[in-house]
């Protein structure tokens, strides 16, 4: 797909009534496991590109060319919309773009959890694989649950930190209404990711009691992050995520 075709696809998406607006803003970005791929503009837009990349890795030249083309086509579109609104993107005061972070401490805890978890998974990969193999000999279903739990923990490890970060950003001049909406949505998906990670870690703990100290520490970290998010956004779980909470 070239830049023109991609741009055409972008324009077509805008008129499709079957897509749920904004669904991808408060999802967990786990498209492989998402029940709304056919209703998600973000997925429809990138699906063709991804399938072209099945057998290439991140270092593939085509991957970076596609990304660069997507950036250009998207930026062209943004520039056109900005012009319509009388905004000159070439002359933006940098001070206007600075975002403050509301609660640095929660962010730091979330980042620390994510990095520690990635390191833990990496450092114990041999033992984790060994456990999965042993479980496979006993019961295929249990082995699958264990494997899924590892995937869940891995998927959400850094995702939580990214969403906590977004939920804590102070958007400056953006109207309070929108800021509050976006922050609650981000806080809610962060909490959902935390709850799922807690469940997955519980399952891993059950199968790997030798790692109790590490796993309990992770569970405590997650519980604290969740508690702190809810202190800032007590009504976060009332937020209705487009699509996901409309069933
Ligand atoms: S809504 Fe589903 S398909 Fe769309 S980006 Fe999120 S996880 Fe992927």
């Amino acid at each position: 797909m070239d830049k023109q075709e991609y741009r055409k696809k972008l324009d077509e998406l805008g008129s499709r009534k079957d897509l749920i607006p904004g669904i991808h803003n408060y999802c967990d970005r786990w498209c492989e496991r998402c029940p709304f791929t056919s209703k998600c503009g973000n997925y429809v837009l990138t699906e063709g590109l991804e399938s072209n990349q099945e057998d290439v890795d991140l270092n593939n030249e085509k991957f970076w060319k596609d990304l660069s083309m997507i950036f250009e086509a998207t930026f062209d579109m943004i520039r056109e919309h900005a012009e319509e609104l009388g905004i000159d993107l070439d002359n933006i005061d940098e001070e206007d773009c600075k975002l403050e972070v509301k609660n640095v401490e929660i962010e730091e805890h979330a980042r620390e959890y994510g990095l520690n978890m990635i390191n833990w998974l990496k450092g114990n990969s041999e033992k984790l694989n060994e456990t999965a193999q042993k479980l496979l000999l006993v019961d295929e279903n249990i082995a699958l649950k264990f494997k899924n739990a590892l995937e869940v923990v891995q998927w959400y490890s850094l995702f939580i930190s990214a969403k906590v970060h977004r939920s804590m950003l102070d958007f400056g001049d953006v109207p309070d209404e929108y800021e509050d909406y976006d922050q609650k949505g981000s806080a809610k998906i962060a909490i959902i990711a935390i709850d799922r990670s807690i469940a997955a870690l519980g399952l891993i703990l059950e199968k790997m009691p030798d790692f109790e100290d590490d796993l309990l520490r992770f569970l405590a970290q997650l519980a604290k992050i969740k508690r702190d998010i809810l202190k800032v956004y007590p009504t976060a779980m009332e937020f209705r995520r487009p699509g996901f909470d409309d069933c």
Side-chain angles (χ1 to χ4, degrees):
M1 197 186 316
D2 62 17
K3 184 176 156 184
Q4 292 308 323
E5 285 171 330
Y6 184 79
R7 176 62 202 268
K8 199 169 151 232
K9 208 171 171 183
L10 267 183
D11 291 337
E12 279 167 11
L13 280 184
S15 57
R16 277 185 55 175
K17 300 275 179 271
D18 57 326
L19 301 177
I20 300 174
I23 187 169
H24 59 281
N25 284 330
Y26 308 104
C27 67
D28 64 4
R29 293 296 172 132
W30 203 345
C31 304
E32 258 177 70
R33 299 205 179 239
C34 179
F36 288 101
T37 53
S38 62
K39 307 240 174 260
C40 172
N42 193 62
Y43 182 84
V44 174
L45 197 59
T46 53
E47 187 189 19
L49 293 167
E50 281 172 3
S51 60
N52 287 339
Q53 294 165 6
E54 266 169 13
D55 51 357
V56 293
D57 65 21
L58 292 182
N59 293 321
N60 187 295
E61 197 188 343
K62 184 176 177 311
F63 172 82
W64 295 112
K65 273 190 184 160
D66 280 347
L67 263 191
S68 163
M69 179 271 294
I70 290 171
F71 173 78
E72 282 178 31
T74 309
F75 198 76
D76 284 352
M77 191 183 68
I78 293 170
R79 189 182 290 282
E80 283 168 22
H81 284 298
E83 276 169 15
E84 281 166 23
L85 293 170
I87 300 167
D88 180 0
L89 288 179
D90 295 322
N91 284 303
I92 288 181
D93 186 345
E94 281 186 17
E95 283 301 311
D96 290 343
C97 302
K98 278 189 185 153
L99 298 176
E100 300 288 329
V101 175
K102 282 181 178 170
N103 191 316
V104 176
E105 207 182 313
I106 308 179
E107 271 211 78
E108 279 169 3
H109 288 155
R111 195 173 322 122
E112 191 184 312
Y113 164 79
L115 293 175
N116 287 348
M117 177 50 79
I118 290 290
N119 286 334
W120 186 84
L121 290 169
K122 223 187 276 176
N124 293 294
S125 61
E126 217 169 289
K127 186 73 189 163
L128 292 166
N129 284 334
E130 207 179 282
T131 307
Q133 290 305 321
K134 277 186 192 160
L135 289 171
L136 196 57
L137 295 175
V138 183
D139 186 322
E140 212 171 296
N141 275 337
I142 295 176
L144 187 64
K145 278 187 187 162
F146 181 76
K147 195 175 148 281
N148 285 342
L150 287 177
E151 273 184 28
V152 167
V153 167
Q154 182 160 22
W155 184 264
Y156 292 128
S157 54
L158 297 174
F159 175 87
I160 293 170
S161 147
K163 287 299 169 182
V164 167
H165 173 69
R166 182 161 166 158
S167 75
M168 297 298 154
L169 278 180
D170 186 338
F171 289 92
D173 289 340
V174 169
D176 288 350
E177 224 176 272
Y178 176 71
E179 183 170 312
D180 194 49
Y181 177 85
D182 188 71
Q183 289 173 335
K184 274 191 190 154
S186 301
K188 180 169 182 177
I189 187 60
I191 290 171
I192 290 171
I194 288 172
D195 287 348
R196 290 176 180 171
S197 299
I198 287 176
L201 282 173
L203 196 140
I204 297 169
L205 175 59
E206 198 187 302
K207 304 299 169 205
M208 298 181 76
D210 291 355
F211 286 80
E212 190 181 44
D213 287 353
D214 290 350
L215 293 168
L216 287 178
R217 199 168 47 245
F218 285 132
L219 284 165
Q221 269 183 303
L222 285 173
K224 178 170 167 41
I225 298 165
K226 178 177 174 178
R227 190 198 60 196
D228 290 347
I229 296 173
L230 283 170
K231 266 192 208 161
V232 181
Y233 301 112
T235 57
M237 296 313 281
E238 289 167 18
F239 179 89
R240 296 198 69 76
R241 296 183 303 145
F244 294 94
D245 295 329
D246 294 332
C247 304

